[in-house]
Amino acid sequence: MRGVNDDLRFAIRQIFKSPGLAAVVIITLALAIGANTAVFSVIDAVMLRPLPYDHPEGLVQAMSIDTHNAHVTAISYPDFFDWRAQNRTLEHLVSYDTDSYTLLGRREPLHVEAVIASWDLLPALGVNPELGRGFTQTEEAAGPRVVLLSHALWQSQFGGDPSVLGRSINLSGKLFTIIGVMPASFHFPITTPEVGIWTTLSAAVDQTDVHPTLTNRGSHFLSAIGRLKPGVTVQQATEDLNAIATNLAKQYPGSNTKHNGARAESALAALIGDTRTPLLIVLGAVALVLLIACGNIANLLLARMRERQREIAMRCALGAGRTRIVRQLLVESLVLSSFGGLAGCGLAYLSTPVMLSLIGTSVPRAADAGVDVRVLLFAMAVACASGVIFGIIPALTASRADLLSNLKEGTRSETSGRDCLRSSLIVGQVALGMMLTAAAGLLITSFLNLRHDKLGFDAHNLLTLNFETRDSRYQPNRSQFYRQYFQKVRELPGVESAAGVLLLPMTEDDAHLSVENPEHPVPEGQEASAFFTPVTPQYFSTMRIPLLEGRDFNDRDDMQAPMVMIVNRAFADKFFPGEAVLGKKLRPGAGIGKPGKPPWREVVGVVGDIKMSATEREMRPAMYVPVDQQPNWCCPATVVRSSVGPPSLEPSLRAIVSSMDKEIPVTDVHTMQELIFVELAQPRFAMALLGAFAGLALLLTVVGLYGVMMYAVSRRTREIGVRMALGAQRVTVLSMVLREAARLLVIGLGLGMLAILLTSSILRSMLYGTGARNPLVLALVCLAIGTAGLVAAYIPARRAASIEPMEALRTE
């Protein structure tokens, strides 16, 4: 122990003896460890922390599967009831669906996000209310509606009053009884942290204007979470649910042919979903940055060993063994890395909020990231590992020094082995830098393709908003209400046009319905499907979606008029290739809705294709129907095109809604550009972070190459002086040094290119409009790194060319 203390004291003296070198090492490590720590804080919050429920390892997400194309699908209520009754592997199986209500009877109407779940939600999660009780099994059936409040809603709207239990509240015109208040830490589902109330399936029994009835097997929109029985594995639960789903597909081919399988997955893995790949890629990127930094520091320490050769030789002569020398030098490296780790923690603390602002809401639970004890322990572990990584090679190299030659007065021995080591480290840095920069270049190219890809509509000067008219008092005259509303909106100064659409583009809203085609009959349940949404007249002109054939909807397309529909070009090309689609009679939503089949509709128009999501890779077939011919679907979002700044219209639009009904809150007011910005959050954060880390890696690589070439020039000062004394021109010396740098760069770029080709599949799922081996991107990256490297090498080369022969010959 005393020897280690002596080593620590000596290491600290060495830091103060060479403050410049220590500062460079600490700053380099701080940048690399800070980046690793900040990224790990997000990885820890998203992927490593258990879910905030009791025994979260037993929770699984139950999913319906279309085995024909391996797509995950939602669950219908009847399917869920069968799964719950017939499974033998789950203690609880809970269905849930997000919804929203308007809380009335307060000072102002309040829009509240809600979850409709089966009765055993809280027992399944192992959570108890902070106040009151949970649901009972009898409260799942039709009858009195009950509700659990979130802690935030309880505090903001009820002042944290404990006597709130048993009180009735008005939610969208229906009375609910408050039976409990959830803890402040409770969030379910985690992807929707702003949920204000939880209620049971009884709330959905008579809401046929929003939800299909509980007996409609053809309407799949539910999610389900379950808890494994003791000793049951996820695989066993999958086999159990899959057998049930297979039997249901045989019993109900009309509704379940495309929902003929099931799968159970760890609830945490299901929550992470598609975010796993970009997070791991970013983590891999910062790990490569750390390796590059360690290579730089190792090169610095190898150069430092040349100055300490005599000191080390003297220690050996006095009896210090090789192990003792290695230990001393490793302790020095660990002390440096510890200081670098502390500085990195500070840098991570400052940079994590910036990184979270880039991530936004695109990664679940990322907002919980921060520099806590776990993250600090990770940072110090990385610091210690880094100290060993960059310290072991210089330590081993120094311990093998030639004792006699190093003790000779006035000499500095240098082995070709050290030259080879330094060159190898630089080659490795260039290769790693090449990999990172190429990955960043591909993601930047992909993001630019996404950002500038055609959406099929004009997103500029569009304002969107939502409000709901669910009250039963709107049921008879909802169509008239919206006609008056849109007429008033169109009369506002600066408004060019306005319309409504049930499922707004650039949101997560989605609905697919099967479509029956009498000209090409298929067995029931095997019909093709397409995106489906009701729209109001003028929707296509407001969005500037081109009308390619036929006509638009108008105010005469109501329940008394013939049933009509409009399809997009992708629909016509996929289902009617080479045919005229106008005049075709189709039946959208076969088996969906009220008992009996939906009506046949005539195709009266064809419009251009649009993207419903900015990250879609291709245009989807789509069907549009008039809102007035879908009276049970509520409620269309408003889309307004203006000739002035869209946000300036918000007060006027709110005033119109308030003038028509003061109990309707306006929500989700956004420009279309803002919605697109949110849609691109995940590819943006991956591009930005990888780009930043690639830039840091490139900087470290260039600095490392500069250091190696500068050291090489200083070591060869006498040789260069002899060459110039014998007649070598300055340009010859310049080119000699640049050739050596170019050789290292070419080898490094070659190895980096090979690594990229071997690992190209990793990035493929994140790329849009570009391949993982894009030759233009790879060529530009090679050019950029090669140019930066040669520029960095030019300064040492110019110094070499300016050496005076007589002064050089006097050295050493």
Side-chain angles (χ1 to χ4, degrees):
M1 190 67 183
R2 180 179 176 183
V4 173
N5 290 333
D6 291 340
D7 289 343
L8 285 173
R9 286 193 293 270
F10 186 78
I12 292 173
R13 287 200 300 271
Q14 286 294 322
I15 290 176
F16 285 104
K17 184 178 179 180
S18 304
L21 174 69
V24 170
V25 171
I26 291 171
I27 292 173
T28 301
L29 277 177
L31 291 172
I33 295 176
N36 275 268
T37 304
V39 171
F40 175 78
S41 70
V42 176
I43 298 288
D44 179 55
V46 175
M47 299 174 60
L48 302 182
R49 291 183 194 173
L51 296 177
Y53 310 120
D54 186 43
H55 296 293
E57 68 281 356
L59 292 175
V60 294
Q61 195 79 22
M63 295 169 281
S64 177
I65 301 291
D66 179 359
T67 59
H68 300 300
N69 53 26
H71 284 178
V72 175
T73 62
I75 308 169
S76 67
Y77 269 125
D79 286 352
F80 164 72
F81 294 143
D82 287 335
W83 286 18
R84 183 168 66 176
Q86 298 176 28
N87 88 83
R88 299 178 180 179
T89 54
L90 301 175
E91 284 186 332
H92 297 280
L93 182 62
V94 180
S95 70
Y96 64 95
D97 181 42
T98 56
D99 207 337
S100 61
Y101 293 93
T102 300
L103 176 62
L104 302 172
R106 317 306 296 172
R107 287 180 298 178
E108 294 183 357
L110 179 69
H111 177 84
V112 181
E113 295 294 331
V115 169
I116 298 177
S118 44
W119 74 272
D120 51 345
L121 172 65
L122 300 190
L125 299 178
V127 177
N128 294 313
E130 176 183 345
L131 189 68
R133 63 173 178 85
F135 305 123
T136 64
Q137 191 167 1
T138 57
E139 289 167 340
E140 186 174 288
R145 302 179 183 89
V146 293
V147 66
L148 294 167
L149 302 180
S150 71
H151 188 275
L153 187 67
W154 178 50
Q155 291 289 334
S156 64
Q157 297 300 313
F158 302 94
D161 184 3
S163 65
V164 73
L165 298 180
R167 188 181 305 178
S168 293
I169 57 174
N170 188 331
L171 295 172
S172 296
K174 297 179 175 64
L175 293 180
F176 289 72
T177 300
I178 300 173
I179 62 169
V181 177
M182 298 306 296
S185 60
F186 178 74
H187 297 291
F188 182 85
I190 291 176
T191 52
T192 314
E194 67 275 10
V195 171
I197 59 173
W198 293 265
T199 186
T200 67
L201 308 188
S202 63
V205 171
D206 62 350
Q207 291 188 14
T208 53
D209 58 331
V210 180
H211 291 291
T213 63
L214 302 183
T215 58
N216 191 334
R217 195 174 292 274
S219 182
H220 297 76
F221 64 94
L222 289 173
S223 300
I225 191 170
R227 181 172 289 279
L228 297 172
K229 289 182 178 180
V232 174
T233 65
V234 175
Q235 181 60 35
Q236 290 172 330
T238 294
E239 294 171 356
D240 184 22
L241 295 176
N242 192 61
I244 298 171
T246 301
N247 290 333
L248 291 177
K250 296 176 182 178
Q251 295 177 45
Y252 307 100
S255 59
N256 283 45
T257 299
K258 295 182 179 180
H259 307 272
N260 58 349
R263 185 177 77 207
E265 185 177 7
S266 160
L268 179 58
L271 174 68
I272 297 169
D274 294 338
T275 62
R276 180 189 303 272
T277 298
L279 286 177
L280 291 180
I281 287 175
V282 171
L283 182 62
V286 291
L288 294 183
V289 170
L290 183 62
L291 287 178
I292 293 172
C294 289
N296 260 5
I297 297 170
N299 258 324
L300 285 174
L301 295 183
L302 279 171
R304 172 73 168 160
M305 288 304 106
R306 181 169 179 258
E307 298 178 6
R308 297 183 63 184
Q309 286 177 149
R310 186 174 179 81
E311 168 208 329
I312 294 170
M314 185 65 71
R315 292 168 66 89
C316 291
L318 294 175
R322 183 180 178 190
T323 302
R324 182 69 179 83
I325 296 298
V326 170
R327 190 185 76 182
Q328 172 63 55
L329 296 178
L330 278 180
V331 168
E332 293 179 20
S333 298
L334 288 171
V335 170
L336 284 171
S337 66
S338 297
F339 284 116
L342 291 173
C345 290
L347 189 61
Y349 179 80
L350 297 175
S351 61
T352 298
V354 178
M355 186 169 60
L356 293 181
S357 68
L358 287 173
I359 295 175
T361 59
S362 63
V363 177
R365 299 204 296 171
D368 297 334
V371 180
D372 56 14
V373 174
R374 286 162 58 94
V375 175
L376 289 175
L377 289 175
F378 168 83
M380 296 316 297
V382 169
C384 291
S386 301
V388 173
I389 291 171
F390 69 69
I392 190 65
I393 294 177
L396 291 175
T397 303
S399 68
R400 295 195 190 101
D402 183 356
L403 178 62
L404 292 178
S405 61
N406 286 339
L407 286 174
K408 290 180 181 178
E409 188 73 29
T411 65
R412 292 286 187 272
S413 68
E414 190 69 37
T415 67
S416 60
R418 290 189 188 178
D419 272 348
C420 184
L421 275 175
R422 278 193 289 271
S423 298
S424 299
L425 288 171
I426 282 298
V427 166
Q429 288 178 263
V430 172
L432 295 177
M434 169 72 180
M435 290 178 63
L436 272 182
T437 310
L442 290 170
L443 287 182
I444 291 171
T445 302
S446 175
F447 182 79
L448 292 177
N449 290 340
L450 278 173
R451 191 68 182 87
H452 297 104
D453 196 24
K454 292 182 180 179
L455 300 173
F457 64 90
D458 184 359
H460 298 89
N461 295 323
L462 278 181
L463 186 69
T464 68
L465 59 90
N466 285 285
F467 62 86
E468 298 181 349
T469 55
R470 296 192 182 191
D471 290 11
S472 56
R473 57 194 171 96
Y474 284 108
Q475 186 66 28
N477 62 350
R478 183 178 286 125
S479 295
Q480 186 62 30
F481 177 92
Y482 279 103
R483 287 188 184 185
Q484 294 176 4
Y485 163 72
F486 282 115
Q487 185 58 38
K488 291 183 178 181
V489 172
R490 290 166 188 147
E491 293 172 354
L492 287 175
V495 171
E496 295 182 357
S497 60
V501 57
L502 188 71
L503 302 179
L504 187 67
M506 304 299 125
T507 66
E508 295 181 358
D509 296 334
D510 196 6
H512 276 72
L513 294 188
S514 59
V515 54
E516 186 177 346
N517 179 6
E519 298 181 8
H520 302 284
V522 296
E524 186 179 9
Q526 298 183 23
E527 300 92 346
S529 63
F531 174 78
F532 177 90
T533 185
V535 300
T536 69
Q538 300 189 35
Y539 171 70
F540 301 113
S541 59
T542 299
M543 295 288 289
R544 293 184 180 170
I545 301 171
L547 180 64
L548 306 177
E549 300 178 48
R551 69 171 179 87
D552 196 353
F553 298 135
N554 55 54
D555 289 337
R556 294 186 297 276
D557 292 318
D558 54 21
M559 293 300 294
Q560 285 69 48
M563 298 290 105
V564 295
M565 63 186 291
I566 291 175
V567 300
N568 68 346
R569 173 54 64 193
F571 184 99
D573 291 343
K574 182 174 182 178
F575 302 123
F576 297 94
E579 301 180 49
V581 69
L582 289 182
K584 298 286 186 182
K585 293 293 185 68
L586 304 174
R587 177 182 277 159
I592 302 297
K594 294 182 177 180
K597 291 190 175 182
W600 292 97
R601 294 180 178 273
E602 179 182 352
V603 178
V604 297
V606 179
V607 296
D609 302 327
I610 70 167
K611 283 189 172 186
M612 289 300 294
S613 169
T615 57
E616 284 183 350
R617 296 179 181 273
E618 58 184 18
M619 301 294 188
R620 291 187 276 173
M623 303 179 289
Y624 304 91
V625 299
V627 163
D628 290 348
Q629 293 185 351
Q630 292 287 126
N632 291 329
W633 289 59
C634 177
C635 303
T638 299
V639 182
V640 180
R641 182 168 296 281
S642 69
S643 57
V644 296
S648 66
L649 295 175
E650 181 179 346
S652 300
L653 293 171
R654 289 184 180 274
I656 289 176
V657 175
S658 179
S659 69
M660 298 183 71
D661 190 336
K662 292 183 179 180
E663 293 186 342
I664 299 180
V666 174
T667 62
D668 301 324
V669 182
H670 301 289
T671 66
M672 185 60 71
Q673 296 282 21
E674 290 171 345
L675 294 178
I676 294 172
F677 185 86
V678 172
E679 279 275 289
L680 295 175
Q682 190 171 116
R684 183 188 302 106
F685 98 76
M687 173 204 68
L689 292 183
L690 206 61
F693 298 144
L696 177 58
L698 183 60
L699 176 63
L700 292 175
T701 300
V702 168
V703 170
L705 180 63
Y706 167 82
V708 166
M709 299 312 298
M710 186 65 78
Y711 176 77
V713 167
S714 65
R715 188 175 63 83
R716 299 175 65 183
T717 298
R718 186 178 181 86
E719 172 199 337
I720 293 171
V722 171
R723 287 176 177 269
M724 297 184 72
L726 295 176
Q729 300 297 313
R730 296 188 184 277
V731 67
T732 304
V733 174
L734 185 70
S735 62
M736 177 186 69
V737 177
L738 290 177
R739 276 198 308 272
E740 177 62 20
R743 183 179 67 86
L744 298 178
L745 286 169
V746 168
I747 297 174
L749 291 175
L751 292 176
M753 184 70 71
L754 179 61
I756 291 167
L757 296 178
L758 293 176
T759 60
S760 59
S761 60
I762 297 175
L763 278 179
R764 188 171 292 127
S765 64
M766 297 176 60
L767 300 180
Y768 179 90
T770 181
R773 300 177 178 180
N774 187 314
L776 178 60
V777 172
L778 297 181
L780 289 175
V781 168
C782 286
L783 180 63
I785 295 177
T787 302
L790 290 177
V791 169
Y794 177 77
I795 299 175
R798 186 174 179 181
R799 177 183 175 183
S802 62
I803 291 175
E804 293 296 333
M806 295 307 297
E807 292 183 7
L809 291 174
R810 296 193 188 102
T811 63
E812 302 196 36

